[in-house]
């Protein structure tokens, strides 16, 4: 019998907590809704995804530089970008329970096609369709709810000190554009990349780490000559596909690249394609790609009074570049990778375990632990030999775990659940000829190799 999607999500959540990937935040205080701690393995996995991304898109390309800008920027940045006026979702409140919902979500659930609908249109559709809250109660008048978190900067609490936590990393790349342009000796087209934490006061966070109020993004703003923007868009779509299928190893059938219809695109975007993934709770956005035209730089040029145009050295022409923006949610990637690679064998509940056997078949380069070193016996010096060997492999820069406790079956099972691709066992033969047995997590093959060859052997498998 196929496992239900709900059950799959339950098993994933329980594995994440039990094995140290993601814990409920502030757990000792009963948790804090929709906030999550990345545990030791979750942190390693997230860092490995981030590093693979940076390596591919920043270090791996001549036309890219990476920067790091603050979470709290000049408040004018958000006025100019349009976020203060327009970065909002339609909010409705249940008159009885005072629970809050997104009106667009309630309309969609009621079968109303909201494509291209303005806030006012949604408000009248709510009345026309007599939309009620999920608890069956009447709803109050909808409001536009701004998703930016406000904070205060400095020692006074007057309105002059109002600042915002960034809701996307993109803005920092537009505000730094002039300095990067003037210092990095790049030629168009080139891109600026940034990875960082962003904040959105989401009305309905949920689905584990899918939608949270605090999350991480990996974004690129790629600056091009306006007439080369369409080709650059296609190039970045291919790059996003490469990332999804070749790096994250997500199957093609689980992903849809959805062209966003004119009516649903942000007003400044000339073309947008969302990458959608088949999560256990439905097909939803994973990444975005947009042709933002010259909208942002033009607005910043006007508001700051700085000349943000590009000077074409050959033609002497000055123009504001167009921007292609591929954007990736880092924390959402962690979720997609976990969903994609969690293999649940329902038939197997061996060794008295209450849950079915689970193997996290992570691509080796993303796995939190690359190798486990497991002596078959603790006695006769095998323990010391194993620890020493683990330290030697660790010293080459690989993440290694040494484990000598419990049956070998249980130790394998634990490593399978955290996605360790290679387990090395030491036995009496190891003492004689300096070889260990390696067990491949997915192929389940066993091979004997020399201890001194192990680091290079693992490195060769990190694809
Ligand atoms: N600069 C463009 C931008 O921020 P977006 O579609 O709003 O575009 C980009 O966000 C990506 O950030 C999304 O594709 C998704 O992966 C991730 N993301 C957005 N909201 C999120 C949330 N509340 N929690 C987790 N990830 C989120």
């Amino acid at each position: 019998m196929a496992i239900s999607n709900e059950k799959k999500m339950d098993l994933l959540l329980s594995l994440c907590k039990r094995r140290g990937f993601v814990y409920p935040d502030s757990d000792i205080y009963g948790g804090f809704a929709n906030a999550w701690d990345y545990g030791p393995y979750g942190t390693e996995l997230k860092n490995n995804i981030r590093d693979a991304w940076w390596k591919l898109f920043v270090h791996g390309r001549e036309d890219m530089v990476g920067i790091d800008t603050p979470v709290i920027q000049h408040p004018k940045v958000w006025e100019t970008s349009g976020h203060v006026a327009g970065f909002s979702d339609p909010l409705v409140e249940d008159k009885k329970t005072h629970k809050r919902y997104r009106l667009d979500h309630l309309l969609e659930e009621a079968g109303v096609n909201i494509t291209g609908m303005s806030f006012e249109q949604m408000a009248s559709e709510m009345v026309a369709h007599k939309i009620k809250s999920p608890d069956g109660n009447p709803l109050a008048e909808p409001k536009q709810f701004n998703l930016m978190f406000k904070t205060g900067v400095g020692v006074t609490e007057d309105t002059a000190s109002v600042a915002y936590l960034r809701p996307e990393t993109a803005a920092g790349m537009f505000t730094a554009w002039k300095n990067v342009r003037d210092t990095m000796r790049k030629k168009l087209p080139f891109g600026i990349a940034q990875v960082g934490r962003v904040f959105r006061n989401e009305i309905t966070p949920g689905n584990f780490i899918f939608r949270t109020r605090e999350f991480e993004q990996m974004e690129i703003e790629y600056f091009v000559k306006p007439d080369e923007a369409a080709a650059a868009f296609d190039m970045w779509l291919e790059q996003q596909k490469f990332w999804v299928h070749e790096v994250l190893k997500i199957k093609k059938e689980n992903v849809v690249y959805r062209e966003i219809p004119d009516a649903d695109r942000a007003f400044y975007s000339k073309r947008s394609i969302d990458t959608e993934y088949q999560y256990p709770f439905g097909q939803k956005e994973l990444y975005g790609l947009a042709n933002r035209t010259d909208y942002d730089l033009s607005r910043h040029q006007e508001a700051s009074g700085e000349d943000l145009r590009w000077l074409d050295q050959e033609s002497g022409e000055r123009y504001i570049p167009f921007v292609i923006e591929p954007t990736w949610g880092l924390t959402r990637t962690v979720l997609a990778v976990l969903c994609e690679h969690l293999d649940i064998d329902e038939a197997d509940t061996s060794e008295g375990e209450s849950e079915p056997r689970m193997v996290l078949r992570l691509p080796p380069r993303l796995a939190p632990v690359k190798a486990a070193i497991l002596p078959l016996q603790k006695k006769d010096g095998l323990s010391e030999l194993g620890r020493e060997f683990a330290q030697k492999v660790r010293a080459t820069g690989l993440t290694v775990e040494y484990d000598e406790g419990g049956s070998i079956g249980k130790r394998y099972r634990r490593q399978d659940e955290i996605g360790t691709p290679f387990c090395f066992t030491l036995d009496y033969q190891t003492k004689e000829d300096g070889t260990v047995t390696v067990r491949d997590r997915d192929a389940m093959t066993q091979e004997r190799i020399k201890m001194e060859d192990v680091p290079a052997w693992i490195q060769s498998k990190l694809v």
Side-chain angles (χ1 to χ4, degrees):
M1 198 180 70
I3 195 158
S4 76
N5 283 330
E6 212 179 339
K7 174 84 177 152
K8 185 168 180 185
M9 219 41 215
D10 285 350
L11 287 170
L12 179 65
L13 251 89
S14 105
L15 181 135
C16 278
K17 180 165 186 194
R18 192 162 41 83
R19 292 299 189 205
F21 280 88
V22 183
Y23 309 121
D25 173 60
S26 310
D27 215 9
I28 56 166
Y29 290 103
F32 186 50
N34 301 299
W36 302 95
D37 293 347
Y38 284 79
Y41 296 131
T43 303
E44 292 292 334
L45 174 62
K46 179 155 69 68
N47 289 350
N48 290 344
I49 293 170
R50 180 200 63 196
D51 294 347
W53 184 90
W54 196 267
K55 206 168 165 194
L56 179 68
F57 294 128
V58 184
H59 292 170
R61 297 181 60 120
E62 198 184 344
D63 58 352
M64 195 71 70
V65 290
I67 64 168
D68 190 6
T69 65
V71 164
I72 302 176
Q73 290 198 278
H74 197 299
K76 268 205 162 167
V77 172
W78 307 109
E79 282 162 30
T80 308
S81 65
H83 281 83
V84 173
F87 191 58
S88 45
D89 280 336
L91 167 81
V92 277
E93 192 173 309
D94 180 314
K95 281 186 173 169
K96 267 199 185 150
T97 63
H98 300 290
K99 280 193 215 158
R100 295 168 154 207
Y101 303 95
R102 269 179 61 175
L103 177 56
D104 50 339
H105 289 176
L106 295 185
L107 287 169
E108 274 180 331
E109 280 158 23
V112 180
N113 179 5
I114 57 158
T115 306
M117 250 187 215
S118 67
F119 171 71
E120 288 71 24
Q121 284 167 321
M122 281 193 230
S124 56
E125 288 294 313
M126 177 179 124
V127 179
H129 288 84
K130 298 191 175 71
I131 303 289
K132 295 234 162 97
S133 84
D135 292 326
N137 301 320
L139 294 164
E141 282 274 296
K143 280 190 249 172
Q144 286 279 37
F145 179 74
N146 196 297
L147 302 186
M148 278 199 298
F149 277 101
K150 261 191 202 161
T151 187
V153 169
V155 286
T156 56
E157 280 193 20
D158 58 30
T159 49
S161 65
V162 167
Y164 302 94
L165 305 188
R166 64 177 174 194
E168 58 174 16
T169 60
M173 297 184 273
F174 293 121
T175 54
W177 150 257
K178 180 172 182 283
N179 284 331
V180 174
R181 178 195 69 185
D182 296 347
T183 56
M184 295 314 292
R185 306 179 67 241
K186 287 279 171 199
K187 287 211 170 102
L188 277 198
F190 77 89
I192 307 181
Q194 162 155 240
V195 177
R197 205 165 269 258
V198 305
F199 302 82
R200 295 182 190 179
N201 200 0
E202 297 281 2
I203 297 169
T204 49
N207 281 330
F208 192 30
I209 52 173
F210 175 78
R211 185 176 288 112
T212 48
R213 296 196 172 96
E214 190 179 332
F215 57 100
E216 286 172 75
Q217 287 185 323
M218 312 185 282
E219 293 198 290
I220 289 172
E221 306 303 325
Y222 194 73
F223 301 88
V224 287
K225 225 173 151 173
D227 62 6
E228 289 170 9
F233 185 99
D234 292 343
M235 180 271 285
W236 278 109
L237 180 59
E238 288 312 306
Q239 289 298 300
Q240 285 197 309
K241 288 182 181 173
F242 180 84
W243 166 261
V244 169
H245 306 297
E246 304 302 324
V247 181
L248 304 182
K249 311 275 185 205
I250 291 180
K251 285 192 215 76
K252 293 222 163 76
E253 65 255 34
N254 291 338
V255 181
V256 170
Y257 295 91
R258 191 167 71 86
E259 186 91 41
I260 308 297
D262 289 1
D264 279 354
R265 276 199 311 264
F267 66 92
Y268 53 78
S269 175
K270 218 173 161 183
R271 189 178 176 202
S272 298
I273 289 185
D274 277 359
T275 300
E276 296 185 340
Y277 177 69
Q278 196 63 54
Y279 302 91
F281 45 85
Q283 182 183 312
K284 292 188 190 300
E285 181 180 334
L286 175 59
Y287 303 137
L289 173 64
N291 176 350
R292 293 182 74 123
T293 67
D294 58 359
Y295 170 78
D296 304 87
L297 288 183
S298 299
R299 297 264 305 195
H300 286 300
Q301 174 166 282
E302 203 182 311
S304 66
E306 292 281 350
D307 186 353
L308 300 183
R309 290 173 301 167
W310 177 260
L311 168 63
D312 188 314
Q313 298 288 356
E314 276 155 34
S315 66
E317 193 193 347
R318 280 182 197 274
Y319 56 87
I320 296 199
F322 267 35
V323 173
I324 303 302
E325 180 193 66
T327 173
W328 293 256
L330 172 55
T331 42
R332 207 173 269 187
T333 308
V334 172
L335 178 59
V337 163
L338 288 171
C339 293
E340 178 74 13
H341 298 293
L342 179 63
D343 190 355
I344 302 166
D345 180 356
E346 252 195 312
D348 187 336
T349 46
S350 55
E351 300 208 31
E353 307 273 349
S354 56
E355 289 185 339
R357 188 176 130 85
M358 287 185 270
V359 184
L360 208 46
R361 302 196 190 277
L362 297 172
R365 68 186 290 200
L366 303 183
V369 175
K370 306 298 185 228
I373 313 292
L374 318 168
L376 286 184
Q377 310 273 347
K378 282 193 237 179
K379 52 186 194 210
D380 301 324
L382 279 175
S383 186
E384 292 74 15
L385 190 62
R387 275 223 156 76
E388 203 181 293
F389 174 53
Q391 190 52 29
K392 278 196 178 137
V393 183
R394 203 175 276 128
T396 68
L398 292 161
T399 44
V400 172
E401 256 183 26
Y402 175 76
D403 187 4
E404 60 179 25
S407 73
I408 190 69
K410 279 215 160 131
R411 282 182 276 165
Y412 278 148
R413 189 171 172 129
R414 184 176 167 276
Q415 294 301 330
D416 283 348
E417 287 197 345
I418 64 167
T420 306
F422 311 112
C423 288
F424 295 88
T425 46
L426 287 83
D427 53 19
Y428 289 111
Q429 193 182 328
T430 309
K431 285 177 57 176
E432 282 161 26
D433 65 5
T435 62
V436 285
T437 305
V438 56
R439 167 212 188 243
D440 184 298
R441 177 198 67 200
D442 300 330
M444 293 295 274
T445 48
Q446 307 237 2
E447 192 186 333
R448 268 204 106 89
I449 56 176
K450 280 195 178 144
M451 287 163 112
E452 70 229 42
D453 295 340
V454 165
W457 185 92
I458 299 172
Q459 285 292 355
S460 74
K461 308 272 175 182
L462 297 185
V463 288

